[in-house]
Amino acid sequence: MADMPRPDSTIDAREVLSESDIARALKRIAHEVLEQSRGADDLVILGIPTRGVELARRLAALITEIEGREVLAGSLDVTMYRDDLRAQPTRAAQETQIPGGGVDGLVVVLVDDVLYSGRTVRAALDALADYGRPRAVRLAVLVDRGHRELPIRADHVGKNLPTSHSERVSVRLRGYDDEADSVTISGGAR
């Protein structure tokens, strides 16, 4: 008997960003961050687990390459700050790594793979407050798919991707998923 595909299977998935599209989007975001921040002297890039951490690492490397000086990157776990802990099974808490001497007085760029309802970003802002008081907080996302439930907007977006609630956006990153980078969309009414 053949295996039945899972409902979240990527069999019907269509690619909306290829590896080169993702690289181009990250390079553009790096330039935008530098323009808005007027340099890299007071920047720290924090990725939201899971794939946001890999994207933050890549973004920091691009900014370092452009500026010729190291930009600090780390991670900010939001698991215990989520407002849906009772409704959904939680994943295990990830490690938070705040580089250098903290975030006080710095420009923090939060990085996530997909912006949807805005609840993860709200949780990240709450978590960040426990680590200090940044001068400014910016948000960079690879994909903004709409459907916000909170008044949150990304400062830097790789791709705006209008979706229905029934569609699923999947980000795959080399280094995390051990396959080629891609963003696919699946599900929904076709």
Side-chain angles (χ1 to χ4, degrees):
M1 184 162 151
D3 289 334
M4 295 296 292
R6 296 187 329 234
D8 64 342
S9 173
T10 58
I11 291 173
D12 68 340
R14 61 184 165 90
E15 186 175 77
V16 292
L17 289 175
S18 67
E19 189 158 355
S20 62
D21 295 330
I22 292 170
R24 204 169 21 261
L26 287 174
K27 191 169 188 175
R28 181 176 38 79
I29 290 171
H31 284 282
E32 289 176 4
V33 167
L34 284 170
E35 284 176 21
Q36 200 172 58
S37 301
R38 295 184 177 85
D41 292 334
D42 61 351
L43 275 178
V44 63
I45 314 289
L46 297 178
I48 299 171
T50 55
R51 288 168 188 84
V53 175
E54 175 63 19
L55 291 169
R57 184 192 64 72
R58 292 180 189 187
L59 189 58
L62 285 167
I63 294 171
T64 296
E65 182 182 315
I66 294 165
E67 283 291 288
R69 61 179 157 248
E70 185 178 9
V71 175
L72 300 175
S75 61
L76 181 66
D77 182 56
V78 302
T79 303
M80 299 313 293
Y81 295 87
R82 294 192 59 92
D83 62 1
D84 58 358
L85 289 176
R86 285 186 225 140
Q88 294 184 18
T90 62
R91 64 173 184 238
Q94 306 288 310
E95 186 175 2
T96 291
Q97 295 178 336
I98 306 294
V103 297
D104 288 333
L106 299 177
V107 175
V108 174
V109 179
L110 293 174
V111 181
D112 204 1
D113 56 349
V114 178
L115 178 57
Y116 185 38
S117 67
R119 293 187 179 279
T120 299
V121 176
R122 188 220 36 93
L125 292 170
D126 288 348
L128 187 60
D130 283 350
Y131 291 96
R133 189 173 193 277
R135 188 179 80 219
V137 179
R138 309 233 191 291
L139 176 61
V141 297
L142 184 58
V143 174
D144 183 344
R145 63 174 290 189
H147 304 288
R148 221 71 78 240
E149 295 172 3
L150 299 172
I152 290 175
R153 179 185 59 83
D155 299 286
H156 312 286
V157 177
K159 178 154 181 87
N160 285 297
L161 184 62
T163 62
S164 71
H165 285 289
S166 63
E167 290 175 309
R168 179 178 176 86
V169 175
S170 299
V171 176
R172 309 300 290 173
L173 297 174
R174 186 185 321 272
Y176 182 77
D177 299 298
D178 293 328
E179 51 187 78
D181 292 350
S182 68
V183 176
T184 58
I185 186 168
S186 58
R190 299 246 184 235

